[in-house]
Amino acid sequence: MNRRNFIRTSAAFVGATVLATPAMASVLGTKSRYRISLAEWSFHKAIFAGEMSNLDFPRVTRELGMEGVEYVNQFFKDKAKDEKYLAELKKITKNEGVSNVLIMCDGEGMVGHPEKSEREKTVENHKKWIDAAAFLGCHAIRVNAGSRGTFEEQQKLAADGLHMLCEYGDKKKINVIVENHGGLSSNGDWLSGVMKMVDHKRVGTLPDFGNFTLDWNTGESYDRYKGMEQLMPYAKGVSAKSNVFNAEGDEANMDYYRLMKIVDDAGYKGFVGVEFEGSELSERDGVIATKKLLEKVFATL
């Protein structure tokens, strides 16, 4: 090997070695396989105060450097069937170059209501949001799996309601995903069991890093890391909840490195959604801090 080829070969080897180091890969701009979206609830204070509208949200998302938007239905509650409004929203997201990811649906009834007629009514109430999600180009709606009864009874009831909703979602090619969102839904055993019972390709979970409180009155909570491991096999979305940051920029009460390792080990390939809910930082600064933390963590995977 002559001197020129030796230098060229050695440089290539060193370059490959450097890029194999996560921290250096980040410095050199290697793109993570994860894309970051923004949950609209991160700006709920601004929206409730009239400082931002649902139509502003995609623009703000792009300004902050994120690629996808996760809507909250209560911020355009009366617009689910308003084609003119939805067309305007879709146009804005296209112009901003962001993807419509999902719609988080609240206030539309109890999916696992003990009365079958009420479960059916809840399914009907959610259909308009499935239609809106399909129109906007989202892949899913997020629903709550509320119910009443024993552990096992609530599993069966929630599974029945979700299966009915998935049958309609299948017609529109929209997934129906459940977030750990308090009560039994924050119990990994319970929700993973519901997923098995539904047994439909459209059903899935939206594991949230922070929502593992079983009882807000007593403070009882489920082990978040165990819960994430149980819910990730069914995940069609991931919510990176954040509240408080330490001096190093890490979430003070959650190990993001451990949580994202669980996500990564599950082979997940979708969006990771920033959802800031803290009060020590402004909503905008909290969102920026969460995005920076995720990018730092991504570089180690």
Side-chain angles (χ1 to χ4, degrees):
M1 181 182 295
N2 62 36
R3 181 173 180 273
R4 180 179 296 174
N5 287 338
F6 174 80
I7 292 173
R8 183 184 298 125
T9 302
S10 299
F13 174 78
V14 171
T17 303
V18 169
L19 284 175
T21 306
M24 288 305 297
S26 177
V27 170
L28 295 176
T30 299
K31 189 175 178 61
S32 167
R33 68 187 179 90
Y34 293 111
R35 300 169 69 192
I36 300 177
S37 52
L38 178 60
E40 193 170 19
W41 189 253
S42 300
F43 282 100
H44 69 275
K45 295 174 185 175
I47 295 174
F48 283 136
E51 298 166 0
M52 182 191 300
S53 73
N54 190 62
L55 293 175
D56 295 325
F57 179 54
R59 173 183 55 77
V60 173
T61 298
R62 174 49 69 190
E63 284 178 358
L64 295 176
M66 283 164 279
E67 300 179 61
V69 287
E70 299 180 8
Y71 299 106
V72 174
N73 72 335
Q74 62 184 291
F75 297 140
F76 58 124
K77 192 76 170 181
D78 60 341
K79 305 295 185 183
K81 297 182 179 180
D82 188 334
E83 290 189 8
K84 183 177 179 181
Y85 178 90
L86 294 176
E88 177 65 14
L89 183 58
K90 188 174 183 178
K91 178 182 178 182
I92 291 170
T93 55
K94 182 179 180 180
N95 289 342
E96 294 296 335
V98 295
S99 300
N100 289 318
V101 180
L102 58 86
I103 302 175
M104 297 187 181
C105 301
D106 302 300
E108 296 292 358
M110 192 179 288
V111 169
H113 198 285
E115 299 295 330
K116 187 170 181 63
S117 61
E118 288 297 320
R119 292 199 300 279
E120 292 173 342
K121 181 179 178 182
T122 296
V123 170
E124 288 301 315
N125 289 344
H126 280 87
K127 284 183 178 180
K128 61 181 177 292
W129 293 111
I130 288 178
D131 293 342
F135 182 90
L136 291 170
C138 299
H139 80 88
I141 63 167
R142 187 275 280 149
V143 304
N144 297 302
S147 186
R148 289 199 296 265
T150 67
F151 186 100
E152 292 78 12
E153 287 170 345
Q154 291 192 51
Q155 279 187 318
K156 293 176 182 177
L157 292 167
D160 181 60
L162 287 168
H163 196 276
M164 287 191 286
L165 199 49
C166 285
E167 288 180 334
Y168 184 75
D170 204 26
K171 296 177 182 178
K172 303 288 183 172
K173 295 182 172 57
I174 295 295
N175 298 313
V176 177
I177 61 180
V178 183
E179 181 181 0
N180 45 307
H181 211 198
L184 280 176
S185 73
S186 291
N187 181 314
D189 283 331
W190 185 86
L191 188 51
S192 60
V194 170
M195 293 295 108
K196 293 172 185 175
M197 287 184 184
V198 178
D199 191 26
H200 194 290
K201 67 179 182 181
R202 288 292 170 189
V203 80
T205 58
L206 177 64
D208 184 297
F209 290 178
N211 286 353
F212 284 100
T213 300
L214 300 171
D215 189 326
W216 286 103
N217 294 320
T218 64
E220 181 187 3
S221 62
Y222 195 81
D223 183 282
R224 78 176 77 251
Y225 307 103
K226 177 183 177 182
M228 286 296 296
E229 289 173 350
Q230 291 173 310
L231 300 182
M232 279 308 303
Y234 310 98
K236 295 182 185 296
V238 169
S239 182
K241 178 67 60 59
S242 61
N243 290 280
V244 183
F245 298 88
N246 61 25
E248 288 72 41
D250 295 324
E251 221 291 335
N253 301 310
M254 307 176 212
D255 187 341
Y256 259 53
Y257 295 89
R258 184 177 174 185
L259 290 165
M260 275 306 305
K261 182 69 165 55
I262 293 170
V263 171
D264 201 57
D265 286 348
Y268 177 74
K269 296 180 175 63
F271 277 95
V272 176
V274 165
E275 187 172 33
F276 175 68
E277 266 193 346
S279 57
E280 293 186 4
L281 296 175
S282 70
E283 290 181 318
R284 189 180 187 91
D285 288 345
V287 165
I288 292 171
T290 310
K291 178 176 180 286
K292 286 182 178 178
L293 173 56
L294 279 175
E295 291 171 336
K296 183 170 68 171
V297 175
F298 289 167
T300 68
L301 298 174

